[in-house]
Amino acid sequence: MKQHNNHFRWTGYALAIGVGVAAWIPSAQAQDDWPTKPIRLVVGGPAGGTADALARLLAEGLQKTWSKPVIVENKAGAAGALAIADLQSTGKDGHTLLVIQGGVVSEAPLANKVHYKPFDDLKPLAQVSRTGLVLVANKDLPASNLKQLVDYGKSQKDGLVFASYAPGLKGHTSGMLLGQLAHVPMRHVGYKGSPPALNDLMGGHVPLMFDGVTTSLPLIKAGKIKAIAVAYPTRISGLADVPTFKELGYPQLAQASWFAVWSRPDVAPAVQQKIREATLMYFKQPAVQNRLKEMGMEQGDAVTSEEMMADLKQAYQQQAALLKSINYQPE
């Protein structure tokens, strides 16, 4: 009887294992065959912005790699929250991805009310670039370097007005920090992305802006705006004659930022790895690296998701301290 019971017991185990394998095989095959439909790259910014430019560059590479259409969709506004909401609602299978800068996690939640948990609801899969900000001015502003700008600001009864691409992010806090360090009153005007802010800068409606190098560089080269100083640890390709704030005695403004492709954390690990590998492989190509340099950016680091999240948590603490030091009030 014992042998008979053992026989049925082992038969049951075998059936259970067989069912498990049968259930696993289609799932594994689905991941091997992924992607099975067009990919959406949701951009946390407007068309023509830095994230948009990177997303379109990435779309070229992923489309060639996977032989599937890769569609870029812009969800500007709310400091990236609209794009994140899109990812949360549609991105479980990995066919919707997000292209944003790390500041949307380390900066935006400190300055705005958000309906997501920055360190739980998003996962950075691969860095695509590193870059910084540049302080740019209307071409008719009577200051062409930082000393002249500071002196001009002190001569104005109400100080200086500056624009940013989003309230509460580095384009905003950098201006407030500069005012604090240089003892110049700074008044902020927030926009939904760089393009509309740059239009007002060129039109003379605002005199200054801390902007991403990618969006300002073509306008600087065309003589439509002028560069005052670069907020990055080193001088930037394409602006080699523009000094850094660190060189000019303001090391607190020597800040780097990075952009990445992101997914929901619950996307299958094998799919996450596919996206990461394809992205890093594409951005290693010399031709792609040259295109990044033309946009005033450097290739992103081949760091892990865990390393990127650790960096963001550290940046979050630093940004919280900065906002407190400049008495930031949400707008």
Side-chain angles (χ1 to χ4, degrees):
M1 180 64 70
K2 285 184 179 179
Q3 289 180 346
H4 185 69
N5 287 340
N6 285 341
H7 169 75
F8 279 104
R9 187 179 300 156
W10 286 109
T11 301
Y13 289 160
L15 284 171
I17 292 171
V19 170
V21 170
W24 173 81
I25 287 175
S27 176
Q29 287 177 340
Q31 291 175 22
D32 288 341
D33 294 340
W34 189 94
T36 58
K37 59 184 180 181
I39 302 293
R40 294 173 64 238
L41 291 182
V42 180
V43 179
T50 303
D52 178 70
L54 287 168
R56 294 182 188 282
L57 181 59
L58 176 61
E60 291 179 22
L62 297 185
Q63 194 158 298
K64 292 175 183 176
T65 300
W66 293 327
S67 300
K68 287 285 192 297
V70 180
I71 303 158
V72 175
E73 294 186 17
N74 299 90
K75 299 283 183 178
L82 298 180
I84 292 169
D86 189 314
L87 178 73
Q88 287 179 308
S89 64
T90 62
K92 190 171 182 179
D93 62 1
H95 287 89
T96 295
L97 301 170
L98 185 66
V99 178
I100 54 169
Q101 64 163 312
V104 172
V105 168
S106 63
E107 301 165 30
L110 290 164
N112 306 277
K113 291 182 179 179
V114 298
H115 300 289
Y116 60 89
K117 297 177 182 177
F119 298 107
D120 296 326
D121 295 342
L122 297 166
K123 185 172 183 179
L125 302 183
Q127 274 190 27
V128 295
S129 74
R130 295 179 65 81
T131 188
L133 300 179
V134 57
L135 177 59
V136 289
N138 177 273
K139 62 183 180 63
D140 296 325
L141 188 74
S144 296
N145 59 52
L146 189 58
K147 183 181 183 307
Q148 291 175 357
L149 180 66
V150 170
D151 290 343
Y152 174 73
K154 289 179 178 179
S155 73
Q156 302 300 298
K157 181 181 178 181
D158 297 322
L160 296 169
V161 175
F162 74 102
S164 80
Y165 48 79
L169 300 190
K170 273 203 170 60
H172 178 183
T173 56
S174 294
M176 299 303 294
L177 180 58
L178 174 61
Q180 184 184 69
L181 296 170
H183 306 291
V184 177
M186 301 286 282
R187 291 184 291 124
H188 171 251
V189 180
Y191 288 80
K192 292 183 178 180
S194 290
L198 288 169
N199 283 336
D200 275 6
L201 182 71
M202 288 185 288
H205 303 293
V206 288
L208 294 166
M209 179 181 179
F210 273 90
D211 187 39
V213 174
T214 301
T215 43
S216 281
L217 187 57
L219 301 177
I220 295 168
K221 289 185 174 180
K224 296 181 178 180
I225 58 176
K226 54 188 175 184
I228 303 295
V230 170
Y232 195 65
T234 61
R235 293 201 181 195
I236 287 178
S237 176
L239 292 175
D241 58 338
V242 180
T244 67
F245 277 98
K246 185 177 180 180
E247 293 174 62
L248 299 172
Y250 297 87
Q252 302 91 328
L253 287 162
Q255 303 168 343
S257 61
W258 47 262
F259 287 78
V261 57
W262 308 62
S263 75
R264 282 176 37 158
D266 56 355
V267 170
V271 172
Q272 291 185 27
Q273 187 62 21
K274 265 194 170 186
I275 297 164
R276 173 180 167 79
E277 289 177 355
T279 301
L280 293 178
M281 187 67 67
Y282 178 62
F283 278 89
K284 278 182 181 177
Q285 297 179 22
V288 178
Q289 292 181 22
N290 287 337
R291 289 180 67 177
L292 287 177
K293 288 180 180 178
E294 290 170 1
M295 294 190 287
M297 290 186 279
E298 298 177 345
Q299 181 186 2
D301 295 330
V303 288
T304 64
S305 295
E306 291 73 23
E307 288 170 325
M308 283 186 277
M309 289 302 276
D311 181 58
L312 290 173
K313 288 177 180 179
Q314 182 181 15
Y316 183 91
Q317 297 299 325
Q318 292 172 343
Q319 185 71 359
L322 173 57
L323 290 173
K324 184 177 180 180
S325 75
I326 63 175
N327 299 314
Y328 172 78
Q329 298 296 323
E331 299 182 356

